[in-house]
Structure formats: structure tokens, C-alpha cells
Amino acid sequence: MNILSIQSWVCYGHVGNASAVFPLQRLGAEVWSINTVQFSNHTGYGAWAGQVYSGQSVRELVEGIAARDAFRHCDAVLSGYVGDAGIGDAILHAVALARRANPAALYCCDPVIGDTDTGVYVRPGIETLLHDSVLPAADIATPNRFELERLTGIDCGSLSGAKHAIQRLRALLRSAGPGCILLTSLETDSTPADAIDMLSFEGGVFHLLRTPRLPVSVNGAGDAIAALFLFHRLRTGSAAAAMAAAGSSIHGLLRRTAEAGSREILTVAAQDEFVTPSRVFRAVAV
């Protein structure tokens, strides 16, 4: 399996490609990583050092990979945080090259906008770019609840509301693709106080995955679950199976992180959770 991942990078800790690449490699995927920024650490610390790369620099790396005639072997493109419109254009260029060389290649967009505790943290115009240009090119989308509500304008406080919002998002995605959606960080009026939900959609069918809530708040978990969901969707062809596998791994990763009291997810120390999760959760049709 060959996956092109275009995301941010940090030297210390695990967000963006630093959260997504290793789990994919640990599962046996070949990852072609292109970094959109290189920072010392994630911005949640309040201070960081490093550089933001231009859309042109990302595009040049994409062209360099294409010159190796590699895209005919590309199974999927994965993208996360989009810093500006130039990066968005470079991602779409990569997707077009991958599909031209391999029509079966999928594009998974993690439409990073923000979260309930932080609000919107992308630059002005990025939400519109995602809604109008990036998501219409995607086969798979992995928003959290906050992002789904921002993209669709539909409240996800109930399961029926979340389903309605997902169907609205599906209408944005590429019509020729599988139209596969994973909704993360879902809390509805039917979610127990000690649990957190995920909801998948594919082929008109919804599945729910419920896992115990953990006493942990870290950056980078969303980047990891998007990567794992893409991997397992490619492996199994099933959104429900991919959600169960990815959700089980992420729960194990976050449990280990919480037990250690770490501010950074323990991507390396808990790596066995990616291959053989210590606890397996099952998705149920809803």
C-alpha cells in the first residue's frame, strides 16, 4: 500500500505527519510524506519555531514524485491541516496526478477547521476553500463534530442531526467516489457521560462505535485516526470495519497516554496498539 500524505510536521511531539506517518508504516504501508510546515512543536504550546512552506514548494515535491513515475502505484492521498489556498491547490494537483496515473486511487480529506474547545483555528478563507474546492474532490472525509457542523450548518447534538449533517456532507464529496465519511468526537443526547462516539457512513448505511471516555486532552489524535481509518478502509473496503479498527487503536493509544500523564500522544511507546489493539470495539448499525 502506497499513501501520499501532505500535512504539517513537528520535530517534538506528534501532530500532522508526525502523528500519521509512523502508524501507517507500522502497519506496513509505504508513506510518501510531504510536509507543509516544519515547526519545533505544535502551536498549542503557545510558542514555536520553524517555517511554513509555500504551495509552490509543495507542488514542486509533488512534481518530483511524479517524475519518478510513482503515482501509478499510489493507492491514496491523505491531507490534513491546510495553511493557505496555495497549499490547497497543491493538494488538489497531487490528487489529480494520482488519479490520472491510477484511476482507483482515493483521496481522504481530514477537513481541519477547529474543535469545540478551541473554536476555529484555521486562517480566514480556509473553510470556504474546503467546502467549495477540496471536499468536492474527496472520496473520504474525516471531520470531527465541530467541523461537520461548520461545514453543513447542521447541529449534531442528536444522532438524527448527526446523520442529517453527514448526508449533507456526502453531497459535497466526489460523486464518482465511495462517499465514505467518519465523524469523530461525537457527543449526542444519547451518548453516555462516560463515553465518546464515532459515526461512519457509506453506501447509505450508518454505523456507530462507542468507546469509554478517557481523562486526556492531547493534540494529534485526529491526525492519527484519519490515517488509520484510510489505511483500514483501503485494506477492508468497509467504512464500518475501518472505523472499528481505527477506533480500537486510538482508544488504546490514548489510554496509554492518559496512564502516563503525557501531554504528547505516545505514538512510539504505544505502537503495538496500531497492530493488535489491547481492546477491540465493534461497530453497530444505527
Side-chain angles (χ1 to χ4, degrees), residues 51-128:
Q51 294 180 319
V52 177
Y53 300 132
S54 68
Q56 181 58 34
S57 66
V58 172
R59 192 182 183 100
E60 288 173 359
L61 292 173
V62 170
E63 292 286 355
I65 293 172
R68 305 283 71 77
D69 194 27
F71 278 113
R72 62 194 178 95
H73 303 296
C74 181
D75 296 294
V77 178
L78 170 66
S79 71
Y81 177 84
V82 176
D84 60 31
I87 297 293
D89 289 342
I91 291 169
L92 293 175
H93 179 60
V95 172
L97 289 179
R99 287 189 177 135
R100 188 180 309 157
N102 176 17
L106 298 178
Y107 171 37
C108 177
C109 172
D110 184 12
V112 176
I113 295 171
D115 211 336
T116 51
D117 58 342
T118 61
V120 174
Y121 52 68
V122 293
R123 293 179 180 178
I126 295 300
E127 287 183 80
T128 300

Side-chain angles (χ1 to χ4, degrees), residues 93-169:
H93 179 60
V95 172
L97 289 179
R99 287 189 177 135
R100 188 180 309 157
N102 176 17
L106 298 178
Y107 171 37
C108 177
C109 172
D110 184 12
V112 176
I113 295 171
D115 211 336
T116 51
D117 58 342
T118 61
V120 174
Y121 52 68
V122 293
R123 293 179 180 178
I126 295 300
E127 287 183 80
T128 300
L129 176 71
L130 289 169
H131 183 281
D132 294 350
S133 301
V134 179
L135 284 165
D139 301 290
I140 301 170
T142 59
N144 60 33
R145 174 184 167 175
F146 177 82
E147 290 158 348
L148 182 61
E149 290 179 336
R150 296 284 301 191
L151 289 165
T152 65
I154 298 172
D155 178 48
C156 296
S158 66
L159 184 59
S160 61
K163 287 181 174 183
H164 184 201
I166 285 176
Q167 289 173 321
R168 177 76 59 84
L169 183 63

